[in-house]
């Protein structure tokens, strides 16, 4: 355990290729407890791939990812055990369409024997109350709006008591008026001290909530800094160009 | 229900109009057309009386109907157990095949499954039945009915496998990733997340396969299984009446299929709960 410096995730020389296409070309970074790391970059830059490599939804083709002191890219590691502690929220929500909201949330904790059914349901209801959706417990995903679905997806990940939360463009598939309700939930999580890695295009969120902003382009980390400095004094020409094109 | 009534009346009309026309023609030759037309109602009435007598002598007398009702029991028994074998086998094969497609694992098992699918879907079920009986199970003293259950189960499994596989492949990969990201294993994600959704999507195709299976078991009589078809053949053999036994059997199959459709319809509505 790397408790002395509080590193939760340590990425070393991370590479990922799809057939002949090299997406990540060697990424090194550390994510410490309580950090909110916001990852930005142009589309196709590899930022989502980077995030998906952290919980091995994509298997890296080179380098290593250490989570909580364990090298999870090692073949002998049971990745399922570690994924329980890394919540993930997807752009397209991916709620289980055949289950009610409550069952969506309790499925993993109950089937993985982390909690009894009753405990899991109590926890789920408590979390749903926090995001203002306790009245939707028995609804099906198809009956919810995009913003509601994404809040449920966050709750579903939180129900496993994760040590870190990974967000893959959580607001990109939402109608503009629903972005706020999801960002609010994420802000509250950050305030409570949750360690988060967020891939997003929401520069306002990066500025307001992020403790560090990482700019990925052409498969490497081009630049990273704390938000104020990052947006005020970009150093690399690519980041300058990128920031000039997005509304900050 | 409407289809049933239509077929029933069609069957009855066909079995009477032919003798009635023949009779009218005979009468017309001897007494003239007008007289012959007058005879039509009488001929129809006679036809009904004949039919009643025939039904009585072919089906009721000597408890002949038992050939068919006992056979019905055997037909249902074969269908039911073959269906269960087919479902278990089909789901297992579908999981192996789609696991290979998605992850590249289970290469050897996948090859075995592909061979099974090729052979089963590439040869007629009647040939499979005869081969399994005469070259394998029959020699080992397994009963005809059990042989039929195994043969139809193996056959149906191949079709169920491809139906279920198409269902699995139709589920958005995000559902898989969501399950895996929560720490559920590949297999658990499959069982709790993917298969329930896949099953709902392929239910109409599965129902179709069950209907085919039910009717296909009628060829079991080729290895002397005493199913409904065998019962009908026996009746034809000793009553010399072709119409009544076969039409009766056809009607029973039709009623069974309608009942099956009804059940599937109820199940389908129940599974659609999550879509409003």
């Amino acid at each position: 355990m790397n408790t002395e410096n509080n590193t939760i995730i340590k990425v070393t020389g991370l590479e990922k290729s799809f057939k002949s296409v090299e997406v990540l070309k060697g990424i090194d970074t550390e994510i410490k407890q309580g950090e909110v790391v916001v990852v930005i970059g142009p589309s196709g830059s590899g930022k989502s791939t980077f995030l998906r490599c952290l919980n091995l939804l994509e298997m890296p083709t080179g380098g290593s990812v250490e989570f909580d002191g364990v090298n999870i890219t090692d073949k002998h590691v049971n990745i399922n055990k570690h994924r329980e502690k890394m919540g993930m929220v997807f752009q397209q929500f991916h709620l289980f369409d055949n289950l009610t909201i409550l069952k969506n949330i309790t499925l993993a904790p109950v089937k993985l024997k982390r909690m009894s059914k009753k405990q899991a349901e109590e926890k789920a209801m408590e979390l749903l109350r926090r995001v203002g959706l306790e009245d939707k417990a028995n609804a099906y995903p198809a009956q919810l709006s995009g913003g509601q679905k994404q809040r449920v997806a966050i709750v579903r990940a939180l129900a496993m008591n994760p040590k870190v939360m990974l967000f893959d463009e959580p607001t990109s598939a939402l109608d503009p008026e629903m972005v706020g309700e999801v960002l609010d939930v994420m802000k509250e999580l950050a305030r409570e001290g949750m360690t988060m890695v967020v891939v997003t295009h929401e520069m306002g969120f990066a500025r307001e909530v992020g403790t560090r902003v990482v700019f990925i382009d052409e498969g490497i980390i081009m630049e990273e800094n704390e938000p104020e400095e990052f947006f005020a004094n970009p150093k690399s020409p690519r980041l300058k160009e990128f920031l000039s094109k997005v509304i900050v | 229900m409407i289809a049933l009534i239509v077929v029933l009346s069609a069957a009855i009309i066909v079995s009477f109009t032919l003798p009635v026309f023949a009779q009218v023609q005979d009468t017309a030759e001897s007494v003239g057309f007008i007289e012959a037309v007058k005879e039509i109602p009488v001929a129809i009435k006679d036809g009904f009386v004949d039919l009643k007598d025939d039904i009585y002598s072919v089906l009721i007398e000597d408890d002949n109907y038992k050939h068919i009702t006992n056979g019905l029991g055997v037909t249902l028994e074969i269908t039911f157990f073959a269906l269960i074998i087919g479902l278990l086998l089909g789901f297992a094969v579908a999981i192996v095949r789609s696991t290979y497609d998605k992850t590249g694992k289970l290469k050897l098992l996948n090859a075995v499954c592909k061979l099974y699918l090729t052979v089963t879907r590439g040869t007629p079920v009647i040939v499979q039945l005869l081969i399994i009986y005469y070259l394998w199970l029959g020699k080992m003293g397994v009963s005809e009915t059990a042989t039929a259950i195994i043969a139809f189960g193996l056959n149906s499994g191949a079709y169920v496998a491809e139906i279920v596989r198409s269902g699995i492949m139709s589920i958005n990969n995000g559902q898989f990733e969501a399950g895996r990201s929560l720490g559920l294993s590949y297999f658990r994600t499959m069982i709790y997340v993917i298969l329930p959704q896949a099953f709902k999507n392929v239910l109409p195709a599965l129902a179709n396969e069950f209907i085919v299976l039910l009717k296909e078991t009628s060829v079991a009589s080729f290895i002397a299984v005493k199913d409904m078809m065998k019962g009908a053949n026996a009746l034809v053999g000793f009553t010399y009446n072709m119409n009544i036994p076969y039409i009766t059997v056809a009607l029973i199959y039709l009623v069974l299929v309608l009942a099956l459709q009804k059940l599937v319809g109820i199940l389908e509505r129940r599974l659609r709960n999550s879509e409003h």
Side-chain angles (χ1 to χ4, degrees):
Chain A
M1 287 268 195
N2 264 325
T3 40
E4 55 273 24
N5 59 1
N6 293 326
T7 301
I8 288 197
I9 298 177
K10 185 176 180 198
V11 180
T12 317
L14 183 67
E15 288 172 21
K16 174 69 186 176
S17 305
F18 294 97
K19 302 241 166 79
S20 61
V21 185
E22 236 187 326
V23 181
L24 299 179
K25 301 171 185 167
I27 290 200
D28 298 277
T29 191
E30 278 187 26
I31 291 149
K32 294 190 168 52
Q33 183 145 31
E35 266 198 298
V36 177
V37 178
V38 180
V39 182
I40 64 171
S43 53
S45 61
K47 54 192 192 304
S48 278
T49 306
F50 164 69
L51 193 77
R52 290 161 59 81
C53 280
L54 295 183
N55 68 353
L56 303 199
L57 278 187
E58 302 292 352
M59 197 64 195
T61 41
S64 69
V65 177
E66 261 179 50
F67 173 63
D68 222 6
V70 180
N71 178 5
I72 56 172
T73 37
D74 188 330
K75 275 203 179 98
H76 305 290
V77 167
N78 178 4
I79 185 59
N80 296 324
K81 277 266 156 298
H82 297 283
R83 280 192 184 130
E84 290 178 24
K85 294 288 152 209
M86 308 169 105
M88 184 152 195
V89 176
F90 300 87
Q91 183 177 354
Q92 301 289 346
F93 332 122
H94 298 326
L95 294 182
F96 304 132
D97 296 329
N98 57 322
L99 301 177
T100 62
I101 299 308
L102 190 65
K103 290 239 172 74
N104 258 278
I105 301 166
T106 58
L107 178 74
V110 172
K111 295 299 178 198
L112 295 170
K113 305 220 163 29
R114 290 289 157 271
M115 297 175 204
S116 70
K117 188 163 176 266
K118 192 162 166 283
Q119 279 175 318
E121 282 176 0
E122 277 167 15
K123 167 121 188 157
M125 288 310 293
E126 179 204 316
L127 288 166
L128 280 176
R129 248 192 305 281
R130 275 177 50 188
V131 299
L133 291 173
E134 70 269 40
D135 57 324
K136 299 289 183 193
N138 294 313
Y140 283 94
Q143 298 163 306
L144 268 56
S145 72
Q148 292 173 329
K149 281 185 203 171
Q150 196 61 301
R151 283 185 278 158
V152 171
I154 294 172
V155 165
R156 178 175 68 178
L158 288 176
M160 291 297 288
N161 292 320
K163 292 191 168 175
V164 55
M165 287 281 286
L166 311 175
F167 292 84
D168 188 4
E169 303 202 26
T171 57
S172 298
L174 297 177
D175 288 343
E177 77 234 67
M178 291 172 183
V179 171
E181 63 192 62
V182 172
L183 289 182
D184 285 344
V185 173
M186 291 168 63
K187 283 174 194 168
E188 199 193 315
L189 263 184
R191 264 198 300 278
E192 286 165 11
M194 174 62 76
T195 310
M196 296 161 66
V197 184
V198 185
V199 172
T200 187
H201 297 292
E202 294 292 329
M203 298 302 155
F205 177 84
R207 202 190 272 275
E208 188 184 339
V209 188
T211 53
R212 177 157 51 114
V213 185
V214 173
F215 177 62
I216 292 187
D217 191 21
E218 291 169 12
I220 55 165
I221 295 184
M222 281 265 180
E223 192 165 337
E224 58 182 316
N225 216 329
E226 45 96 16
E228 206 156 310
E229 190 63 14
F230 182 91
F231 289 108
N233 290 311
K235 292 183 182 66
S236 67
R238 275 297 288 130
L239 177 57
K240 280 181 191 161
E241 188 197 333
F242 179 75
L243 288 179
S244 73
K245 282 182 192 158
V246 297
I247 308 150
V248 181
Chain B
M1 257 2 258
I2 295 167
L4 186 63
I5 292 161
V6 169
V7 174
L8 198 74
S9 24
I12 291 169
I13 289 167
V14 168
S15 27
F16 305 114
T17 37
L18 292 180
V20 170
F21 276 122
Q23 202 178 337
V24 170
Q25 215 167 14
D26 287 348
T27 326
E29 273 168 21
S30 53
V31 295
F33 184 70
I34 305 289
E35 285 300 311
V37 170
K38 281 184 186 160
E39 289 293 316
I40 289 177
V42 180
I44 290 177
K45 200 175 139 234
D46 288 351
F48 264 108
V49 173
D50 285 352
L51 181 77
K52 229 170 87 183
D53 291 349
D54 280 355
I55 289 178
Y56 183 78
S57 66
V58 175
L59 291 180
I60 315 290
E61 215 170 44
D62 303 330
D63 285 350
N64 277 353
Y65 64 89
K66 282 193 173 158
H67 286 275
I68 290 181
T69 49
N70 290 346
L72 172 64
V74 176
T75 291
L76 290 177
E77 185 189 344
I78 294 173
T79 307
F80 179 75
F81 289 108
L83 188 111
I84 289 177
I85 293 176
L87 274 177
L88 292 176
L89 193 62
F91 269 87
V93 170
I95 290 173
V96 169
R97 296 261 292 125
S98 47
T99 300
Y100 176 76
D101 286 349
K102 275 178 191 289
T103 67
K105 287 177 186 163
L106 307 178
K107 203 168 175 182
L108 189 71
L109 261 179
N110 181 58
V112 173
C113 289
K114 264 178 119 164
L115 180 70
Y116 158 68
L117 292 178
T118 309
V119 173
T120 309
R121 296 195 300 166
T123 54
V125 64
I126 176 79
V127 178
Q128 292 165 14
L129 178 72
L130 293 174
I131 288 177
I132 289 176
Y133 183 62
Y134 287 114
L135 272 62
W136 180 31
L137 295 178
K139 277 185 179 172
M140 293 162 56
V142 176
S143 80
E144 287 83 6
T145 306
T147 303
I149 288 172
I150 291 168
F152 288 112
L154 285 174
N155 181 270
S156 186
Y159 294 95
V160 171
E162 287 299 271
I163 291 170
V164 173
R165 188 170 73 94
S166 75
I168 292 173
M169 297 317 256
S170 77
I171 304 298
N172 185 328
N173 203 40
Q175 296 282 312
F176 246 110
E177 291 190 340
R180 299 305 310 274
S181 78
L182 288 164
L184 294 169
S185 64
Y186 178 88
F187 194 66
R188 279 190 161 142
T189 307
M190 191 62 122
I191 298 292
Y192 298 125
V193 178
I194 305 300
L195 285 182
Q197 297 184 50
F199 180 73
K200 186 178 76 179
N201 288 357
V202 299
L203 196 56
L206 276 181
N208 197 39
E209 166 56 24
F210 298 155
I211 289 171
V212 171
L213 173 64
L214 169 69
K215 294 184 297 181
E216 237 173 24
T217 59
S218 59
V219 301
S221 55
F222 271 73
I223 58 165
V225 172
K226 293 191 173 60
D227 76 330
M228 199 156 59
M229 203 58 214
K230 189 84 180 170
N233 280 332
L235 279 186
V236 170
F238 60 73
T239 62
Y240 305 109
N241 185 316
M242 309 268 172
N243 307 344
I244 291 169
Y246 290 141
I247 288 175
T248 307
V249 166
L251 288 173
I252 294 174
Y253 273 115
L254 185 68
V255 171
L256 291 177
V257 169
L258 286 172
L260 196 59
Q261 272 175 1
K262 190 93 190 154
L263 280 176
V264 172
I266 293 169
L267 186 58
E268 231 174 292
R269 264 198 303 283
R270 196 168 290 177
L271 289 176
R272 295 246 165 257
N273 266 344
S274 59
E275 282 175 14
H276 16 93

